[in-house]
Structure formats: C-alpha cells, structure tokens
C-alpha cells in the first residue's frame, strides 16, 4: 500500500515532545559567548552618540559594538534577491524605527550581557514620526508580491458598474500583525579563521542566509555553512535574514569566539518583520440574477521609508470569480516604521477578508444566499491570465462543507437565531492560495543493507517535511518507511529554496520523487547490488506556463455574539479544502487547522498596536499580543476533497500551509453580521467595535 | 536584569528582620517578570515562599487565609467553594493554571499594574516608575487603563481579579512589620494615585502580609469578567457581586468592579442604589449608573464606562435569577 497520504505521526515527534530536538539556539557550541541587542528607546532621528563605557566596565563583558564604533561592512546592504531586507548593522547614524539596534553587547554569560545592555545609553536627535496610512502620500510600487503586476484592468469597470442592478462600495482595514512563532529568532555564529563561517540559525531558508552572509562579509559561499535542523515556526518572519543574523557574525568576529544571539520576544515586534496595515477599497456590482458585472479592489498598505514591502491583497481578486470587468491596484504609503514582510498567506489573508466580506455584502444587497452567490459566479478559467486551471475542485468543497455544516437550514435575515444571551450567526467564504513550485535538488543513497538516506537542504518549520518526504521516498524506492532517513537543514546538502509560499511539499517532494526513481534505476543497472548515491536537480513543471494553479477551499462558520457585552465566540467551523495530492493526511490537517486558528485570531483578537506618539509597539509580549487560546477555538472540522492534478508537479501536491488562513476571517466577520446585523469592516472585531453606543 | 542578592527567609521573624535590606518575593510570577523587564530592580530578594503561612482555616464565622496560599489551592478549597464562590470564580478567571499554581494570596494583592508604558523601560515618562517624569499613557494607547480613580499623574488599572472579590467581601489584610502587627481593611489597603502613583498601598516598608481574613457574608455571589478573549487575559471590566434578596427585596448588596479602577473598586454608591429595592433591570441600571457616576474616560478607553455598567447589570441579573 502506498505510504503517500497515510496519516503518519511525525518522525521527529518524539524528539519534540521530549525536548530533545535541537533548535538553533540550543546547539551545543564550545566556548560560546552571548550577545544581546541594545534596542533604541527613541523612535526616529539621528543617533548622536552611544555611550558604552558603563557596559564595558562590567565583569564578563567582552565587547560592545555600537553605532559609530562598529566594524565597517561595505556590502551591508547589498541584496541578493528582492526578498532580502535592508539591514541595520550599526553602520550609520540613521535611526529609522523604535527598537532599532544601536549596539550589541557580548559577554561570557547571557545574564551579564543582558545587564550590561541595560547600561548602554544612546543620544538621539529625534524627529516626529508618521504612522498612519490614511492621508499619507501613496505611490505605486513596481511589483505587487514576487509575481504580480501592481495594477490590472480587465474589461470596462465603469460600464460594469453602470450595468449593475446591485452594488456595494466599502472600505476594509486590517491591522499590523506580528508572526510570533514559538521559537524566538536566534543565531549562533562561529568563525573558523577569517574565511570560514558556520552559523546555526532559526530560518526558513538556510541558503538565503548563507548567500547573504557571504555577501556581507565578502566570503566565498562555499565557506559559509548554515545549519538549522528544527524550526519552531516562521510564518514568513524567518523568510529572509534580519539584522541580528549578521550582527551575531560581526560580534563573533570581534570577540574571536562563537557568539549566540537570541532576539527577545519584545524585539520580535520590530526587528523581524510584521504584516503591514492594509486599507482596501472595494466596489462590486452584479446583475439582477446575481452575476458579477464589476469588481474594483484598491489596496493601500504601509511600508517603511528605507525599504519596500507590498502586501499583495488584490491578487486573488483577479481570478477567484468569473467577472468581465475587474480592476485591481496596489499602493504604498511610507511610514516611520520597521520593514513589513511576508506573513502567512501574505496578500490572500488580508485580501480574502476584504473581498469575501464585500461578496457577502453584495449577496445581501441582491438578497441571494451567500453560497449560491459564489456558485453563480464560479470561474472555470483564470480570466485574468486566460488560462485553464490545472485542477479546481472548489465546487466539491462548497458542496461537502455546506452539507456537513447544515448551511441549507440557514435563514437569510440577520438576527434570526438566538441562544440565551447569545445571538447566533452563520457565515461562509471561499479560500484560495496559489500552488507554487521552485527548483530544488535532492540526493538519495540506497545502502547495501536495504536502508536509504535522502538529503535535501530544505527546512522543516514544524509542518512535517521530515515525515512527508520520508513517505514520498518510501513509495518511490519501495523501501519501508522506517528504513529511510530524511536529512535536511544544512547548506552542505543539495540546495533547495526557502520554505515559504506553501511550496515545500511540491518543490522538495518532486525533487525527492525523481531522485528516488533515478537511484532505483541506477541500482537496477548495477544489478541491484551495493550502494548507490544519486543527486538530481529538479526544475519547475513546464505546465506552470500553461495552467493557472491554485488550492481552493470553502469555509463555514458559526459565531455567537453576546449583544450586551459585545463578546464574540466562534462556536463551529467546517472547512473543505482541495490541495491536490495529500501527502500525509495528519500533517495536512494540522496545517489547515492551524490556518483556521490564525483566521480566528485575525478576525477577533490579533493586532499589533503602536503608541500613537512614538510608534513603539505597545503589544510587546504574548500577554498583550493576543492570539486565540484553547477556549477561543471550537471544534474545527476539516474535510479533504479529492483532487487529481496531473500538471501541477511530479507529486501532484499543491500545498496547504497557508490556505487555512484565507477566507475564514471573512466568514467570521460575515457570521457576526448575520448574528447582529452589524458590519465591522475593521479587524480585529473586538467588543468595543460591536458596542458603538459605548463611545461617549 | 540587575544583579541582586538572595535570602531565603526561614521564618516570619527572619523575613521581617531582613526586610529593610530587600524586597519580598513569593510566587515570583509578577516579580521575576518585571525584574527581567528592568521595571523592578531589587538589591536583595527575600524569598518568603517557604514560610508556613499556607493554611486556609475557619475563623469564627469567616475564614483565615495564609499569605502564601497558592491561588489554585485557594480557589479549589472547600471552604472557599462553599462560602465564597465569588472569590473562587475571580481566582479561576485570572491568568492560567500554571501561573495560579505559583501565585500567592499576598503576591496577588500586591501585583503591579499591566500599564504597557510602565512595563516598557524605553519610555522615560511614567510617574509610577519615575516620580515626576510624566504619564505616557494619558494621550497614548490606554485601552487597558482605568476610568475610575485616576489622576492627572496616573490612570493605571489595578489588574487583579482576586482583589475585586476581596474588596466586595470586606476582607481584612493582616500584616507584620518592624513595629509589630496590624490589621488593614481591604478597601483601605490600596491607595489612589493622586500626585503619588508610586505609592500603591498603605503597607509600610518592611511589612509582610501574613494572612487575610474574610467575614461571613449572606447572599448569592458571582464574579463576571469581560475580556478580549475567552481566557488568559486581564479584565476590560469585571464585577464581583453579593446580593442578599429576601422576600423580593434586596437586603444587602456588595459590589466591586475590576479592570476599570486604579484600585480594586468597591462601589458603595451602587450598593446604596440596590438596598431596599426589588431586583429589576431598572434598579440594576440605576446601580450601574451610580457606580460609574464619577468615571472619566480617555479616547481609547471611554467604552469601558458603558461596558462596566453592562457587566455589572449582567452580574446582578445572573445572581438574582
Ligand atoms: C501572563 C500572566 C497573566 C496573568 N493574568 C492575570 C489575570 O488575568 N488576572 C489576575 O488577577 N492576575 C493575573 N496575573 C497576575 C498574577 O495573578 C500575579 O502575578 C500573581 O498573583 C502574583 O503573585 P506571586 O505570589 O507570584 O507574587 P510575586 O511576584 O512573588 O510578588 C508580587 C509582589 O508582591 C510582593 N509580595 C509577595 N508576597 C508578599 C507578602 N507576603 N507580603 C508583602 N509583600 C509580598 C512582592 O514583593 C512583589 O512586590 C497574570 C500574570 C501573568 C504573568
Ligand atoms: S498610567 Fe501610571 S503606570 Fe502608566 S504610564 Fe502613566 S504613570 Fe506610568
């Protein structure tokens, strides 16, 4: 029987629950010194002086690297790829954002470094900060996301709106989010002489870290080795190296010892990226029967002044429904903030919230059931790209999820269901996320004893890469699952891309599959005897040019709202998802569950708040930055819809890491409307927004 | 964190003798957190967690609770569950099981505010941390701040749930210090910020909380906490109520509010509006209006005035069912 698809427990599960999985910061490195970043108290301006004398005088302090007295790195800000960030490596006196590193203290113990860091004082000539997107001067970026055009126009929007019988126009706002993976960002840097550097780093992309460090320190890539065997979540924040990574290497060079630098939870609000604020203006129109005649989706998001990131929230709007007249645009406003970055389902999470909320509003304007309205506007081709879908089982998702939820019993009118003090509401939305793939290499060794080792320089973010790749290899090699070892997380292994964009299963899975096939052939050619090692470089499926490739889903939600107190509780969720071949039913379900929990967080609680005067993040720890706790998460039913896709890639998998975080927050917002009759167009839906009369 | 000394107090006398040199630590859930943030910098910690002040016992008609009783032990103790359910509910609505297993009665009474500007040392302005430096929360983001009992110097909320129940129950705090033992009525224990937000209680230097007593109370009790998520969050508004209804008339009422006051907020005005009346939505609304009559909101926390009223009305409604 095939191993692929089975709900195997994680091969690294025991290591994790017994605390023996070694995360980057836990790597035992002899003679390691401890570095602490000193964050700026001031927000914005010019750093005049950093006084390090008191810190240097403390016992155990080995060095203090500070603005004005740090080693010079001519290529500090040379990007290897657009995803790389402009870093703050103590090279100049510009203070861009609060918490920006002004110094790094290195000591023999962590406690001594922390204490000395408190004694570093900086003088800054402060300037006022701009923090608000509305009213800021917006400009058009060159790209919206790694692949997209910032603006698109299809058909004639004005004509489409004029022809509409029903219309809605609404503006939606989403706040700043921090990723806050469980594992703090951390780097251990160890030099071997001047030319060789080994780094243990908490990262989603070991090769990107390697390349950036090579560039910054003028090293041969081959002489930089980056290792990361386990990652405690990344969600995009660990997608490109941030300042602390080279700072650790600078510090290690300075003190002539390996150095460990762990970013604090508080610093992770500013030093390792965030999801930017979006303001999204939507206009939708449909005819008498509910066929969409026009969609306009205008996105404005924040970026920093010294770098750029676009939250591509309107991308899905171009293909998700059938509509002849569609206009989308992305604009940016530069603020005095740290650099935003990719956050789980960048674009789609915020974009589907706005679009699917507007779809619900139009369904109500036209008095059509929200599910029937989606089905009425089902797209059978990508009308923007003018390509067929490689596969699309969204209709089955709608059917299965709505049946399991009992949607047909829904009454259209808001405020039509009650349970004691609680108003009950039902909402639904479409979920979607692109199916991406990148080139990757894999090495397979079949040993004489019938075991095998498969090696790829990829990462396991906690998603199950170790496990699913072992399953793929088992099927191709015809070797038992427990006789195969999968190794990852080391740039000494064959190169693979970032673990991001929900593409690891597709990318690495395909490379592993073909490498295994080749190894088996090679072994057969040698008469099935001895040991063979084969390395294979896998390119992206050519069909990516011919087809539009996306995962899809449909999510149905019940909420309860205490009308007097404004409390919202999600009481039931059913989601059906089609993501091509499921490699492991258990890890796939976990990804989808986690995505839905993120959506609950996004809809109801998550918000990074900045002080209105200084821009410093107020919600600096997990006591103040709320994510859902168990009591906020109801029973979530996940249905996997069968989907065969011969085009998408060799393993037929589309990726499910992010789609759970799309659509569901709109479904919750729509359910809140159904319960209360109130549209909250500004996330998160906190109780004070539901009690408008409470504002004096 | 600043370097500090550590003394484990073997008995009450030793703790008090050493007190001038340092600061008490019990469960450490608040102390260690704030030391790590640099907000509190004790030179020496006097660990009182081993003192035998861990009993919960009947005392007359009431109960006597040792200062070192853990919050979880207190919440689940049969005497508390039977006679003071409002206290059990308040305790169990706070923090998480892990924290409640560490946190003590004395430490909970004295836990410091959660004001984010107080907790972030990067702000120069905080009168509580640095007297005379100003208040960054006024004019800043003050969603969690108080609408009752604030001053131009400070609007920080007393964050404790337990304290709200203690205030409603007319608890007495027993302390032992260099100049002997004394009893302090719970409602007088915490002080208003006024011009001196750095002073939070009437506790004198070196005084150790030894135990808390609760008198007998009659009536039905309830603690209702409203917060941003279902668990593990501080109160935006909460209400502890004890309502003694006899023959359709309210004979006795005790009302305290949490999440909205600079100290655990006993609402005597609300009680006066309730006593002698027949329970009804109109009477409850009047009581709520009376409780919040002196409230002053800031731009980001004004909603709490209405929210606190609704919370109180709901608590009274539940308890009079
Ligand atoms: C993440 C988190 C969430 C929380 N959520 C809530 C919540 O929702 N609701 C809530 O009410 N609380 C909450 N808390 C706070 C928690 O209740 C307090 O931290 C705890 O009660 C403090 O008790 P402790 O014994 O650990 O005190 P410690 O931290 O040991 O001490 C606190 C203070 O009391 C003093 N002290 C302690 N014992 C004595 C004594 N016997 N005599 C004199 N002084 C003494 C100390 O010197 C110190 O100033 C939360 C805490 C955390 C960390
Ligand atoms: S409210 Fe009080 S604790 Fe908060 S900043 Fe102002 S003075 Fe400090």
């Amino acid at each position: 029987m095939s191993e692929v698809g089975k709900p195997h427990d994680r091969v690294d599960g025991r290591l994790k629950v017994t605390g023996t999985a070694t995360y980057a910061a836990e790597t035992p490195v002899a003679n390691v010194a401890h570095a602490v970043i000193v964050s700026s108290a001031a927000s914005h301006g010019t750093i005049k002086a950093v006084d390090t004398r008191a810190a240097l005088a403390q016992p155990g302090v080995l060095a203090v690297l500070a603005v004005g007295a740090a080693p010079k790195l001519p290529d500090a800000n040379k990007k290897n790829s657009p995803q790389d960030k402009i870093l703050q490596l103590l090279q100049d006196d510009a203070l861009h954002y609060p918490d920006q590193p002004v110094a790094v203290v290195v000591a023999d113990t962590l406690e001594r470094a922390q204490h000395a860091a408190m004694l570093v004082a900086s003088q800054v000539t402060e300037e006022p900060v701009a923090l608000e997107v509305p009213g800021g001067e917006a400009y058009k970026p060159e790209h919206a996301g790694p692949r997209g055009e910032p603006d698109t126009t299809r058909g004639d929007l004005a004509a489409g709106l004029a022809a509409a019988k029903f219309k809605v126009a609404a503006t939606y706002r989403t706040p700043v989010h921090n990723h806050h993976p469980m594992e703090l960002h951390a780097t251990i840097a160890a030099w071997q002489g001047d030319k060789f550097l080994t780094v243990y780093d908490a990262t989603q992309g070991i090769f990107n870290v390697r390349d950036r460090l090579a560039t910054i320190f003028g090293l041969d890539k081959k002489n930089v080795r980056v290792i990361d065997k386990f990652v405690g979540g990344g969600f995009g924040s660990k997608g490109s190296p941030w300042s602390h990574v080279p700072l650790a290497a600078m510090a290690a060079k300075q003190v002539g010892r390996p150095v460990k630098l762990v970013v604090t939870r508080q610093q992770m609000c500013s030093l390792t990226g965030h999801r930017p604020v979006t303001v999204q203006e939507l206009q939708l129109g449909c005819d008498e029967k509910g066929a969409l005649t026009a969609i306009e989706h205008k996105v404005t998001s924040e970026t920093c002044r010294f770098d750029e990131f676009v939250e591509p929230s309107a991308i899905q709007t171009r293909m998700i429904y059938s509509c002849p007249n569609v206009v989308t645009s992305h604009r940016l406003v530069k603020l005095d903030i740290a650099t935003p970055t990719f956050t789980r389902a960048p674009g789609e999470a915020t974009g589907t919230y706005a679009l699917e909320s507007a779809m619900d509003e139009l369904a109500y304007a036209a008095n059509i059931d929200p599910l029937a309205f989606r089905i009425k506007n089902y797209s059978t081709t990508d009308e923007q790209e003018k390509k067929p879908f490689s596969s699309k089982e969204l209709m089955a998702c709608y059917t299965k999820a709505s049946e399991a939820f009992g949607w047909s019993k829904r009454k259209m009118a808001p405020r039509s269901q009650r349970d004691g003090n609680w108003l009950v509401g039902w909402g639904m939305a479409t979920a979607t996320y692109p199916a991406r793939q990148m080139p990757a290499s894999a090495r397979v060794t079949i040993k004489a004893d019938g075991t095998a080792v498969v090696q790829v320089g990829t990462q396991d973010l906690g998603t199950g890469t170790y496990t699913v790749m072992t399953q793929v290899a088992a099927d191709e090699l015809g070797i038992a699952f427990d006789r195969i070892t999968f190794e990852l997380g080391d740039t000494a292994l064959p190169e693979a891309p970032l673990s991001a964009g929900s593409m690891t299963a597709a990318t690495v899975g395909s490379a592993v599959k073909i490498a295994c096939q080749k190894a088996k052939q090679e072994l057969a050619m040698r008469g099935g005897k001895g040991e063979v090692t084969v390395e294979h470089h896998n390119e992206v499926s050519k069909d990516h040019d011919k087809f539009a490739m996306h995962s899809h889903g449909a999510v149905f939600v019940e909420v309860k709202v205490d009308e007097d107190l404004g409390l919202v509780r999600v009481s039931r969720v059913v989601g059906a998802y089609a993501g091509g071949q499921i490699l492991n039913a258990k890890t796939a379900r976990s990804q989808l569950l986690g995505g839905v929990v993120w959506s609950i967080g996004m809809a109801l609680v998550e918000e990074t708040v900045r002080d209105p005067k200084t821009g410093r993040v107020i919600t600096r720890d997990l006591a103040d930055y709320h994510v859902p706790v168990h009591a906020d998460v109801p029973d979530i039913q996940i249905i996997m819809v069968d989907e065969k896709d011969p085009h998408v890639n060799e393993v037929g998998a589309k990726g499910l890491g992010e789609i759970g975080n799309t659509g569901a927050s709109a479904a919750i917002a729509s359910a809140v409307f159904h319960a209360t009759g109130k549209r909250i167009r500004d996330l998160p839906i906190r109780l004070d927004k539901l009690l408008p009369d409470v504002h004096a | 964190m600043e370097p500090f000394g550590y003394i484990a107090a073997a008995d009450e006398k030793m703790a008090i003798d050493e007190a001038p040199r340092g600061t008490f630590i019990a469960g450490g859930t608040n102390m260690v957190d704030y030391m790590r943030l640099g907000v509190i910098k004790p030179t020496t910690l006097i660990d009182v967690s081993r003192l035998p002040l861990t009993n919960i016992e009947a005392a007359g008609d009431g109960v006597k609770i040792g200062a070192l009783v853990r919050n979880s032990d207190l919440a689940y103790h049969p005497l508390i569950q039977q006679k003071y359910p409002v206290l059990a509910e308040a305790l169990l609505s706070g923090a998480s099981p892990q924290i409640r297993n560490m946190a003590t009665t004395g430490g909970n009474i004295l836990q410091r505010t959660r004001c984010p500007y107080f907790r972030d040392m990067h702000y120069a302005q905080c009168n509580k941390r640095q007297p005379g430096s100003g208040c960054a929360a006024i004019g800043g983001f003050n969603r969690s701040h108080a609408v009752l009992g604030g001053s131009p110097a400070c609007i920080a909320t007393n964050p404790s749930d337990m304290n709200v129940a203690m205030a409603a129950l007319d608890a007495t705090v027993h302390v032992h210090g260099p100049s002997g033992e004394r009893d302090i009525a719970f409602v007088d224990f915490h002080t208003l910020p006024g011009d001196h937000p750095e002073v939070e209680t009437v506790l004198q230097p070196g005084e150790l909380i030894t135990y808390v007593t609760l008198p007998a109370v009659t009536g039905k009790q309830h603690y209702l906490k409203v917060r941003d998520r279902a668990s593990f969050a501080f109160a935006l508004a909460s209400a502890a109520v004890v309502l003694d209804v006899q023959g359709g008339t309210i004979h006795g009422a005790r009302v305290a509010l949490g999440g909205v006051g600079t100290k655990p907020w006993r609402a005597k005005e609300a009680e006066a509006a309730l006593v002698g009346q027949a329970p009804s939505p109109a009477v409850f609304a009047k009581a709520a209006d009376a409780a919040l009559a002196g409230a002053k909101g800031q731009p980001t926390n004004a909603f709490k005035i209405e929210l606190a009223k609704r919370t109180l009305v709901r608590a009274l409604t539940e308890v009079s069912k």
Side-chain angles (χ1 to χ4, degrees):
Chain A
M1 190 195 149
S2 164
E3 289 293 338
V4 162
K6 274 193 193 168
H8 268 291
D9 288 343
R10 279 156 214 267
V11 296
D12 50 341
R14 180 170 291 272
L15 289 179
K16 285 187 172 167
V17 297
T18 55
T20 45
T22 310
Y23 291 81
E26 299 171 328
T27 314
V29 174
N31 198 31
V32 75
H34 298 264
V36 169
I37 293 177
V38 180
S39 279
S40 171
S43 304
H44 178 48
T46 309
I47 302 164
K48 286 291 167 206
V50 182
D51 186 349
T52 61
R53 285 168 301 180
L56 278 167
Q58 293 302 309
V61 171
L62 303 170
V64 181
L65 293 75
V67 168
K72 289 289 166 230
L73 299 167
D75 290 324
N77 273 323
K78 205 154 135 193
K79 292 187 178 190
N80 292 319
S81 79
Q83 275 85 288
D84 275 343
K85 304 293 193 250
I86 300 287
L87 303 179
Q88 286 71 54
L89 303 182
L90 314 171
Q91 299 295 299
D92 58 57
D93 62 3
L95 177 67
H96 300 290
Y97 56 88
D99 274 334
Q100 184 180 316
V102 293
V104 173
V105 176
V106 194
D108 54 356
T109 69
L110 176 62
E111 290 75 14
R112 284 173 153 174
Q114 286 172 332
H115 175 229
M118 288 167 68
L119 304 174
V120 174
S122 50
Q123 266 178 42
V124 174
T125 313
E126 289 200 62
E127 284 156 36
V129 292
L131 298 169
E132 293 297 327
V133 171
E137 196 181 318
Y139 73 97
K140 180 174 162 181
E142 274 181 36
H143 303 282
R147 297 192 321 161
E149 290 296 313
D151 294 3
T152 58
T153 301
R154 176 162 95 233
D156 182 340
L157 181 73
L161 284 170
K165 172 92 195 289
F166 305 103
K167 279 187 268 199
V168 293
T171 302
Y172 303 86
R173 182 185 179 278
T174 63
V176 172
H177 294 146
N178 276 114
H179 312 77
H180 283 316
M182 284 266 255
E183 182 201 21
L184 301 171
H185 286 245
T187 306
I188 299 176
W191 291 85
Q192 294 82 40
D194 278 350
K195 296 201 170 54
F196 295 86
L197 175 63
T198 304
V199 167
Y200 303 88
D201 188 40
T203 178
Q204 292 172 240
I206 50 177
F207 285 93
N208 303 47
V209 174
R210 179 197 68 175
D211 294 358
R212 190 77 196 267
L213 287 171
T215 302
I216 290 174
F217 293 98
L219 302 170
D220 190 329
K221 277 185 195 178
K222 291 196 290 293
N223 296 345
V224 181
R225 184 173 175 194
V226 179
I227 297 170
D228 191 15
K229 294 292 178 185
F230 299 96
V231 188
F235 311 116
S237 71
K238 293 172 182 161
S240 52
W242 296 95
S243 301
H244 66 276
V245 181
L247 284 174
M250 280 167 80
K253 200 165 192 177
Q254 183 91 354
V255 300
R257 274 171 76 167
V259 160
K260 181 193 304 202
L261 195 165
V262 181
V263 181
T264 66
R265 183 62 69 187
Q266 287 80 7
Q267 288 172 332
M268 275 171 56
C269 301
S270 326
L271 302 190
T272 57
H274 64 270
R275 193 198 295 278
V277 165
T278 73
V279 176
Q280 304 181 52
E281 295 164 72
L282 277 113
Q283 271 200 88
L284 268 59
C286 69
D287 68 16
E288 203 155 358
K289 298 209 172 81
L292 285 165
T293 57
I295 304 178
E296 184 184 35
H297 192 166
K298 299 199 292 186
V299 181
T300 308
S301 62
E302 63 174 27
T303 188
C304 63
R305 280 197 206 285
F306 55 93
D307 205 348
E308 184 175 280
F309 175 79
V310 188
E311 176 86 5
S313 305
I315 301 280
Q316 78 284 318
T317 305
R318 298 166 184 170
M319 50 58 70
I320 188 169
Y321 295 114
S322 176
C323 178
N325 308 302
V326 177
V327 168
T328 67
S329 67
H330 294 87
R331 296 291 178 272
L332 291 175
V333 173
K334 285 188 186 284
L335 302 177
D336 297 306
I337 56 172
T339 314
T341 195
F342 304 93
T343 308
R344 198 175 196 178
E348 284 80 5
T350 48
T352 55
Y353 157 65
L355 176 68
E356 290 296 284
S357 295
M359 285 292 284
D360 195 70
E361 298 206 36
L362 187 56
Y364 270 87
N367 195 26
I368 302 173
D369 172 77
L371 172 61
F373 184 50
R374 264 76 171 192
I375 291 172
K376 172 87 192 161
N377 292 291
Y378 200 83
S379 64
T380 50
T381 60
D382 178 337
E383 294 177 7
Q384 187 68 31
E385 298 285 322
K386 299 195 173 56
K387 287 178 191 170
F389 291 107
S390 59
S391 62
K392 180 175 176 179
E393 294 296 341
L394 175 59
M395 196 63 87
C397 296
Y398 286 141
T399 310
K400 293 201 162 156
S402 63
E403 278 171 8
F405 187 84
W407 182 262
S408 61
K409 294 195 283 288
R410 182 179 185 270
K411 293 196 191 84
M412 186 78 179
R415 306 179 65 85
S416 51
Q417 258 176 291
R418 192 176 257 287
D419 174 9
N421 285 324
W422 301 90
L423 294 165
V424 181
W426 290 1
M428 62 80 56
T430 308
T432 183
Y433 196 77
R436 299 192 175 101
Q437 188 188 4
M438 290 215 352
S441 299
R443 182 160 59 221
V444 177
T445 302
I446 305 175
K447 300 202 169 161
D449 65 2
T451 61
V453 178
V454 182
Q455 298 168 308
V456 184
T458 183
Q459 302 73 215
D460 189 333
L461 308 189
T463 48
T465 311
Y466 277 113
T467 313
V468 301
M469 295 310 150
T470 308
Q471 289 173 269
V472 170
D475 277 358
E476 294 309 317
L477 296 172
I479 294 177
F481 177 83
D482 56 8
R483 290 173 67 80
I484 299 172
T485 308
F486 185 78
E487 293 175 3
L488 53 67
D490 188 336
T491 54
L493 302 177
E495 184 160 349
L498 210 62
S499 294
S502 299
M503 66 182 179
T504 301
T507 300
V508 179
S510 298
V512 166
K513 179 169 178 169
I514 306 302
C516 286
Q517 287 172 357
K518 286 187 170 174
K520 218 175 144 185
Q521 285 161 14
E522 179 74 27
L523 188 66
M525 268 160 46
R526 294 199 205 161
K529 289 213 179 65
E531 174 173 316
V532 296
T533 297
V534 168
E535 191 162 328
H536 165 72
H537 178 74
N538 204 50
E539 287 296 339
V540 175
S541 153
K542 290 264 183 308
D543 286 351
H544 274 263
D545 300 332
K546 293 183 236 157
F547 295 93
M549 299 181 175
H550 302 270
S551 297
H552 292 94
V555 59
F556 293 76
V557 170
E558 177 183 271
V559 302
K560 296 188 173 177
V561 183
D562 184 314
E563 206 184 3
D564 292 333
L565 302 176
L567 299 170
V568 181
R569 299 282 181 260
V570 177
S571 45
R572 213 151 57 87
V573 180
V574 179
Y577 297 90
Q581 172 70 47
I582 302 305
L583 301 182
N584 178 318
K586 189 173 188 177
T587 56
R589 179 172 173 275
S590 295
Q591 284 301 302
L592 292 164
L593 277 178
V596 171
V597 172
W598 267 56
S599 295
I600 295 173
M602 180 171 158
L604 301 182
V605 293
E606 279 195 57
E607 178 175 19
T608 297
V609 178
R610 298 185 181 123
D611 175 52
K613 285 187 211 138
T614 62
R616 290 191 72 74
V617 172
I618 295 267
T619 46
R620 289 170 79 74
D621 57 30
L622 294 173
D624 279 355
Y625 185 84
H626 283 179
V627 297
V629 294
H630 284 288
D632 296 298
V633 179
D635 185 32
I636 298 171
Q637 187 185 349
I638 300 290
I639 299 168
M640 305 284 190
V641 171
D642 269 347
E643 189 174 63
K644 295 278 168 287
D645 193 322
H647 306 293
V648 66
N649 51 58
E650 288 84 345
V651 286
K654 288 177 168 177
L656 296 169
E658 287 161 279
I659 190 169
N661 197 25
T662 73
S665 59
I668 294 169
S670 298
V672 168
F673 168 76
H674 188 230
T676 63
K678 287 181 187 155
R679 289 275 177 204
I680 308 301
R681 300 186 182 91
D682 176 17
L683 296 184
I685 304 174
R686 277 198 301 243
L687 57 84
D688 40 322
K689 294 180 189 170
L690 279 169
L691 304 175
D693 45 325
V694 301
H695 291 283
Chain B
M1 202 186 301
E2 292 277 341
F4 58 90
Y6 175 86
I7 298 169
D11 53 36
E12 218 173 290
K13 181 173 179 314
M14 180 177 170
I16 294 156
D17 288 348
E18 295 289 352
R21 303 211 288 126
T23 312
F24 298 131
I25 183 168
T29 59
N30 190 219
M31 187 59 116
V32 175
D33 187 5
Y34 285 18
M35 283 172 69
R36 294 190 56 162
L37 293 171
V39 175
I40 305 177
K41 298 175 182 170
T43 50
T44 301
L45 284 181
I46 302 166
D47 186 348
V48 296
S49 66
R50 291 175 188 79
L51 299 187
L53 301 168
T54 50
N55 282 344
I56 303 168
E57 57 198 86
D61 292 343
V63 64
K64 178 176 165 187
I65 302 160
L68 273 307
V69 171
R70 306 284 171 175
N71 285 179
S72 42
D73 293 337
L74 184 57
Y76 291 114
H77 195 277
L79 269 178
I80 303 302
Q81 294 256 322
Q82 284 155 24
K83 296 178 77 175
Y84 306 99
V86 65
L87 178 58
E89 282 180 289
L91 284 161
L92 294 177
S93 75
S96 67
Q98 294 88 338
I99 291 171
R100 294 195 295 265
N101 284 340
M102 291 298 291
T104 64
T105 312
N108 198 326
I109 293 174
L110 288 169
Q111 66 170 294
R112 311 294 302 274
T113 185
R114 306 296 302 184
C115 170
Y117 299 96
F118 175 71
R119 274 154 65 218
D120 183 353
M121 291 297 287
H122 294 99
Y123 289 98
Q125 282 188 317
C126 173
N127 288 324
K128 201 182 268 302
R129 255 197 286 114
Q130 193 63 49
S133 61
C135 172
I138 297 173
F141 181 76
N142 43 42
R143 191 166 188 273
S144 68
H145 288 69
V147 292
L148 289 165
S151 73
C154 180
I155 53 169
T157 313
N158 183 296
S160 168
D161 291 299
M162 183 193 81
N163 284 352
V164 185
M166 292 276 192
L169 291 171
D170 274 323
T172 303
V173 183
H174 302 262
V175 305
H176 187 179
S179 42
E181 299 187 34
R182 63 184 183 122
D183 299 345
I184 306 161
F186 195 85
V187 289
D188 299 329
F189 187 84
H190 296 89
T191 51
L192 292 174
D195 292 337
H196 289 284
E198 73 281 8
V199 179
E200 296 176 351
T201 67
V202 298
L203 210 59
Q204 292 302 305
E207 279 184 324
L208 177 76
I209 299 179
T210 46
Y211 56 92
V212 175
T213 50
L214 302 177
V217 293
T218 14
K220 277 175 79 181
Q221 311 175 13
H222 185 39
Y223 185 72
L224 176 64
K225 177 175 179 180
V226 176
R227 47 190 149 176
D228 277 325
R229 62 182 171 191
S231 176
F232 208 10
F234 286 91
L236 289 169
S238 71
V241 296
V242 183
L243 209 59
D244 180 18
V245 184
Q246 289 175 26
T249 304
I250 300 171
H251 273 240
R254 295 153 180 270
V255 174
L257 300 175
V260 289
T262 52
K263 60 177 274 188
W265 201 262
R266 181 73 183 260
K268 291 273 185 195
E269 306 80 358
E271 295 169 7
L274 290 166
V275 173
Q277 308 293 320
S280 76
V283 167
F284 295 160
K286 262 207 181 124
D289 284 342
L292 275 297
K296 182 174 178 302
Q298 304 286 329
T300 51
N301 75 357
F303 72 94
K304 285 175 147 192
I305 299 173
E306 179 64 23
L307 184 67
K309 290 184 192 176
R310 293 180 184 201
T311 305
L312 178 53
V313 169
R314 175 66 63 81
L316 291 167
T317 309
E318 292 291 323
V319 91
S320 59
K321 264 183 188 162

